Amino acid sequence: MKFLRFGVDGVTGFGVLDGERVREVTAYPFDGESFEETGVTYALGDVKLLAPVEPSKVVAIGLNFKAHAAEFNKELPTEPMLFLKPSTSVIGPNEQIVYPSHMSYRVDYEAELGIVIGKRAKEVAVDEAADHILGYTCVNDVTARDLQGRDVQYTRAKSFDTFAPLGPWIETELNPLDVRIESFLNGEPRQSTTSADMIFNVYELLSFVSHVMTLLPGDVIATGTPSGIGKMKPGNTIEIRVEGIGSLVNSVVARPTGSV
Ligand code: MG
């Protein structure tokens, strides 16, 4: 089942995707309870898809694929390496990634599988992690690579407004242990690896993070990017595709001149 959040006529709604139609529902079943349909439906093309959740935080994982660690000549981690992306970095499908040219000259895409938390998770065991997951979405962990190298930690490089595209929706029925994660820059393939190559799988990651911080319904864990990362420029279009979910497409635009 694909849950989505949309805007139509200035109002925000929640829905379930049914082919090319959206069946409106009252809310997401974050607590595992059933949800109600309102009886209203829309053509998919008549609504604006929004980021499927408004997370309190996006918890991201660094170096979770062996080949990506090799890309940076990094040792394989013995436990997940965490960093945060602020809620203000989240944008939805087809929204614009703004190039922070006042500070960075190297901005990269990172295709990732995103875990969407359904039920509050605090100190959850690995074998109970699935009970806390609503579903999965595509994430682009946009990164100012030059700043990542210059700063001693990742906050600035990962946190610019628009640096966390999410979407296009949440797929609840997915085997997260073996799905293909891809990116396409201007339609050209750039990354393609399956989640089977993760060093720590989604359940291990959720459990680990939940022993550090409480995960709230709607929070997102970005599970790390495969090898093949690269830079984007204003005018580019970047597509993140996860098998079984769909495609998250965003364009990159120059920062408006004179903005602060
Ligand atoms: Mg990443």
Side-chain angles (χ1 to χ4, degrees):
M1 194 169 253
K2 290 180 168 68
F3 285 103
L4 53 84
R5 203 164 67 92
F6 64 89
V8 64
D9 298 331
V11 177
T12 299
F14 300 91
V16 169
L17 187 65
D18 182 4
E20 290 297 307
R21 294 202 70 79
V22 174
R23 302 197 323 258
E24 190 183 46
V25 297
T26 49
Y28 288 150
F30 274 136
D31 55 4
E33 302 288 320
S34 59
F35 55 91
E36 290 182 23
E37 295 197 23
T38 66
V40 178
T41 70
Y42 300 95
L44 180 59
D46 288 345
V47 302
K48 173 179 164 52
L49 288 176
L50 305 174
V53 280
E54 295 180 286
S56 76
K57 55 190 170 293
V58 177
V59 187
I61 313 297
L63 301 173
N64 197 32
F65 286 83
K66 291 173 190 166
H68 180 58
E71 227 168 22
F72 286 91
N73 293 316
K74 298 267 193 183
E75 302 257 319
L76 292 187
T78 55
E79 55 186 9
M81 200 284 282
L82 310 184
F83 59 91
L84 290 171
K85 293 174 81 78
S87 59
T88 43
S89 63
V90 171
I91 58 172
N94 305 312
E95 290 196 84
Q96 295 173 327
I97 298 165
V98 179
Y99 203 104
S101 53
H102 56 312
M103 287 192 178
S104 174
Y105 299 96
R106 168 75 193 244
V107 175
D108 287 8
Y109 53 84
E110 292 190 0
E112 306 200 8
L113 171 66
I115 306 168
V116 180
I117 301 300
K119 189 161 67 174
R120 185 178 184 275
K122 180 177 174 61
E123 298 184 8
V124 170
V126 173
D127 63 4
E128 293 173 351
D131 297 340
H132 296 264
I133 297 173
L134 174 64
Y136 300 88
T137 194
C138 307
V139 181
N140 189 348
D141 175 19
V142 179
T143 303
R145 195 69 67 197
D146 48 354
L147 303 182
Q148 185 184 27
R150 196 189 313 166
D151 293 352
V152 293
Q153 37 73 25
Y154 288 8
T155 304
R156 181 165 61 143
K158 299 285 190 175
S159 298
F160 287 98
D161 289 358
T162 75
F163 268 30
L166 305 179
W169 37 62
I170 301 164
E171 173 58 63
T172 60
E173 286 143 51
L174 190 80
N175 171 14
L177 302 181
D178 191 9
V179 288
R180 186 154 291 278
I181 300 163
E182 297 172 287
S183 61
F184 299 83
L185 185 68
N186 299 328
E188 296 288 321
R190 287 289 185 267
Q191 296 176 283
S192 180
T193 303
T194 104
S195 58
D197 289 341
M198 287 182 180
I199 298 168
F200 304 100
N201 71 37
V202 298
Y203 306 120
E204 293 166 335
L205 292 174
L206 188 154
S207 173
F208 184 87
V209 175
S210 80
H211 283 80
V212 179
M213 65 190 89
T214 301
L215 292 163
L216 301 177
D219 282 352
V220 172
I221 300 175
T223 57
T225 199
S227 61
I229 53 92
K231 61 185 176 184
M232 304 183 290
K233 292 286 184 194
N236 289 168
T237 298
I238 181 70
E239 174 186 355
I240 309 301
R241 192 184 298 171
V242 178
E243 177 186 7
I245 301 176
S247 283
L248 168 66
V249 180
N250 299 92
S251 55
V252 182
V253 296
R255 182 169 176 270
T257 52
S259 63
V260 177

